[in-house]
Amino acid sequence: MRIKSYLALLVFACLIGAYTLEQVLAHYFNHVQTLAEKHNESRLWAKDLERIEISTSQFLISSDLVVGSGNTYLIFGAKNMGNYLTTELSNLYTQNYFQNLNSKIESAILNINKIKNILNTVGNISPNKLEQSLSQLLVKYDPVSLSLSQDIQYLTKKTTRIIEQETRFLDEEKRFMTKVGWLARGMFFVIIVVLWWWANRKICQPLNELICSSRRTLAGDDFKSTYDAPTEIIELSNDFKQLTLSLFHQASHDPLTGLQNRRAFERKLTEVIADKEVHHFLCFIDLDYFKTINDTCGHAAGDEILISVARILKESVRYKDIVARLGGDEFAILIKECPVGKAIEIANNIKNNIHELSYSCEGETFPISASIGLAPKMLGSTTTDLLHSADVACGFAKSAGRNTVRLFDISSDDSVEKRQDILSVHQINNAISNDLFILYKQDIFPLQQQSTGQCFEVLLRMKNAHGEIVSPASFLPTAERYHLTSKIDCWVVNAVYEYFTLHKSQLEGIDKIAINLSGHSLSDNKLEKFIIQKLSEGDIPPEKLYFEITEAAATANVKRTLLFMDNIKALGCKFAIDDFGSTHSSYDDIKEFAVEKIKIDGSYICNMMDNPVDYDTVKSICKIAKAANQEVVAKYVGDKIVMQTLTKLGVDYGQGYYFSKPEVLIQLSLIHISEPT
């Protein structure tokens, strides 16, 4: 039944109850009113009878004087009084108000008529015979007058008794009416209470249960549907259940592949770690050369490949195994309660099935393969240990030539060393939250005798759990894999601004500050907005900053990179392409990206004196950059000969150990780095 039906029944029942109460009260009010009117009529009747009684006394006195004393002059008055009494009694008889008194009224009228006849007889007697005749008439008169007097007295007493009875009855009815009125009101109140309880049970209680179930669901419990309720609430409950299931699925699954996401997968790993069973394996899958296909054929092609790989993974595992997409082209499988031989067989089967995939784009066929790392769950190991063991094994698979499976062996020296070299994602997050990074700087020197102030590049280092300084090579691979590089870049920009806000005097001698940005940062709107916000505060002049973006990161998403650069350059900052020459399309990038500086890939600088190809590459880059009106910076300058050669080739700036080694720029213990907003 729908809520409107319940409400209709509720209103109808209230109306019926109110109508019944009104009818009951009206009935008893009319009844009492009728009794009161009848009682008033009885009292009027008694008043008439009282007047008749007085007139009867006068009539009998006059008649007594006529018959007893022979006062004939009173006959006329007595007869008129008798006529009046006859008329009044006849009216009472006609009203028929008290039927049981009609016989007495008739008797009184008859006696009055008899007395009037006697009076007529007296009036007709001659005076000389009057005295003798009166004695005879008196004998006839006395019984009649006595009877009339008794009749009138009877009527009076009877009427008085009837009125007293009616008065008592009327008072009783009034009291009863009061009781009935309160009883009816009480019954109506009870009906209202019962209806309220019924409506509360049918409508409010299911709604409260729905609210409680929703709150329990927010706390993490399963949503409990409502069944004994109006149709709308049941439908709403079912919709809520579908919505919570949908939201839970969206929160725990990857929208592209339908696999579990990293968050849900790590929860499952935590449950497995708590289990005492040892025979569980974590399979880490990283697609080979996926970025090349994604960049060449577009994101739609990449999505199609990821969906195909996800389907292969689901088809290649058992019903109790858990498959997840960790992000990008990385997948993971929790192989539960499985011996090592079977786990390796599953991993190899997955590798072979993926290798059978291929993708064709613009006449070119791209093979698909995957490097797979397999790590067993060991007693006493943590979730982080298991993830990193599988990650290390995957790294070994890539080092072994890709398209292969490697099992992590804790007894292997390479495995131990590799695990120690790679910092965990939790350590990186801890460093971001607790300012455990340190900023260094390395000066950039002019080679063409330019008159400039100090130029330097900001370099990043990190403190590990033992307080040791570690290089970016130890934490950036993990940061890139877990998409933390944009947070790190945001931290670096914030730290630079915080430092120079407190040390504005140092800005006077600085011409350029170079800050590196990762590839993930270019697609992070939060970092872009943060940089724009800081530049708008005016603590550091925008013309003193330029941001370095690697050539590989810039070409990964050209459209987004150009938009990012345009938004920042509009405020006065400059940009440089770092590691220039590392891709096959480097010369095209000079035209694509209108930057102020290009930094030649350090591998060319290191080998240019021994390798003619590298020398000619550096020379050609300088020539093309000059034609594009771009300054050239050479990294990894290690000795004087390289510096002199670069100067002759027209390189504008040099950076390397020949000029200066990195030194600490910011002592973080001296300042407080506020959280970027």
Side-chain angles (χ1 to χ4, degrees), residues 292 296-297 358-367:
T292 302
T296 304
C297 303
S358 62
Y359 190 83
S360 298
C361 178
E362 298 180 355
E364 184 177 359
T365 300
F366 296 89

Side-chain angles (χ1 to χ4, degrees), residues 435 437-441 456 458-461 463 491-503 506 513 515 540 663-673:
D435 301 329
F437 290 113
I438 300 177
L439 295 186
Y440 282 65
K441 70 172 184 177
F456 60 85
V458 176
L459 304 175
L460 185 66
R461 302 291 184 266
K463 283 186 178 182
W491 187 95
V492 171
V493 172
N494 189 47
V496 170
Y497 268 90
E498 293 281 350
Y499 177 78
F500 283 107
T501 298
L502 297 176
H503 304 83
Q506 298 183 16
I513 302 172
I515 301 176
I540 300 179
E663 60 182 14
V664 175
L665 170 65
I666 299 177
Q667 292 287 346
L668 295 181
S669 60
L670 302 180
I671 65 171
H672 171 68
I673 306 298

Side-chain angles (χ1 to χ4, degrees), residues 23 114 234 238 265 278-279 301 331 460 466 547 565 592:
Q23 290 296 314
K114 287 180 179 180
I234 294 176
N238 293 334
F265 188 72
V278 178
H279 300 296
F331 298 85
L460 185 66
H466 305 290
F547 296 97
M565 293 172 61
E592 185 77 33

Side-chain angles (χ1 to χ4, degrees), residues 287-288 290 293 301-302 304-313 315 331 350-360 365-370 403:
L287 299 183
D288 301 326
F290 175 77
I293 302 174
E304 185 177 340
I305 292 172
L306 292 175
I307 293 172
S308 299
V309 171
R311 184 180 64 253
I312 289 175
L313 296 181
E315 293 174 351
F331 298 85
I350 291 172
K351 180 205 69 173
N352 295 332
N353 291 338
I354 292 177
H355 193 53
E356 292 177 0
L357 290 175
S358 62
Y359 190 83
S360 298
T365 300
F366 296 89
I368 311 297
S369 64
N403 191 34

Side-chain angles (χ1 to χ4, degrees), residues 609-667:
M609 303 309 297
D610 300 322
N611 190 328
V613 175
D614 289 344
Y615 178 85
D616 290 338
T617 301
V618 174
K619 183 178 179 180
S620 63
I621 291 174
C622 291
K623 185 176 180 180
I624 295 174
K626 292 301 179 181
N629 196 28
Q630 294 174 332
E631 293 181 327
V632 180
V633 182
K635 301 195 302 181
Y636 297 174
V637 180
D639 54 47
K640 185 177 181 180
I641 296 175
V642 173
M643 184 272 293
Q644 292 174 343
T645 303
L646 293 171
T647 303
K648 291 178 182 180
L649 291 175
V651 175
D652 297 288
Y653 296 91
Q655 180 182 357
Y657 278 18
Y658 172 72
F659 301 106
S660 67
K661 292 184 179 181
E663 60 182 14
V664 175
L665 170 65
I666 299 177
Q667 292 287 346

Side-chain angles (χ1 to χ4, degrees), residues 442-479:
Q442 187 175 32
D443 290 331
I444 302 173
F445 286 86
L447 300 181
Q448 304 300 328
Q449 302 302 319
Q450 304 98 314
S451 177
T452 62
Q454 183 184 14
C455 298
F456 60 85
E457 178 183 356
V458 176
L459 304 175
L460 185 66
R461 302 291 184 266
M462 176 180 165
K463 283 186 178 182
N464 62 15
H466 305 290
E468 302 169 342
I469 305 300
V470 295
S471 68
S474 297
F475 62 84
L476 282 183
T478 303

